[in-house]
Amino acid sequence: MQDPHTTAGGNAVAQRLSVDPDTVERDLIKLVLTIVELLRQLMERTAVHRVDQGDLAEDEEERIGMTLMILHERMEELCERYGLTMDDLNLDLGPLGSLLPRDFPRP
């Protein structure tokens, strides 16, 4: 019985993966920045929810807002350094839509 992951031309998984040594670093950076951006957006949503609920003191709101703005600026700087845009970090999940919401307000 033939392994379903193997084709006549070789390993099907290897055929789908781009293993170009020139792009590996950029692709890894893109993956890491995508995860960081997802976490940043989750933190931002949590902060907005806490502000809306009145769970934070005024100084906490200010500190969280400033921290999130700085993190967003650093993300943009890293994207620029590696030739990426924030849209490049948004993965298409097919029928599920995109990983990162496009309609969430940015700082």
Side-chain angles (χ1 to χ4, degrees):
M1 180 171 192
Q2 185 176 358
D3 182 358
H5 298 292
T6 304
T7 64
N11 188 333
V13 174
Q15 291 175 355
R16 286 193 311 252
L17 295 176
S18 173
V19 290
D20 182 4
D22 296 332
T23 63
V24 169
E25 179 182 10
R26 184 175 184 271
D27 292 342
L28 180 59
I29 291 294
K30 182 177 174 182
L31 175 62
V32 169
L33 290 178
T34 297
I35 293 168
V36 171
E37 178 61 13
L38 176 62
L39 293 174
R40 188 197 68 76
Q41 287 189 20
L42 291 172
M43 290 180 347
E44 188 171 334
R45 286 173 181 238
T46 300
V48 168
H49 178 73
R50 290 187 66 194
V51 167
D52 289 345
Q53 296 297 314
D55 291 346
L56 299 173
E58 191 174 320
D59 64 322
E60 291 175 314
E61 288 179 21
E62 182 70 29
R63 191 172 62 243
I64 288 172
M66 186 62 73
T67 300
L68 290 171
M69 285 191 323
I70 291 169
L71 181 55
H72 182 71
E73 289 171 5
R74 296 299 182 268
M75 287 294 297
E76 288 178 333
E77 289 170 9
L78 287 168
C79 283
E80 186 177 328
R81 179 183 301 169
Y82 290 98
L84 299 167
T85 66
M86 294 300 281
D87 284 338
D88 291 335
L89 305 182
N90 202 356
L91 301 177
D92 180 10
L93 301 176
L96 297 176
S98 59
L99 177 66
L100 304 172
R102 297 179 192 274
D103 59 347
F104 191 71
R106 299 281 182 184

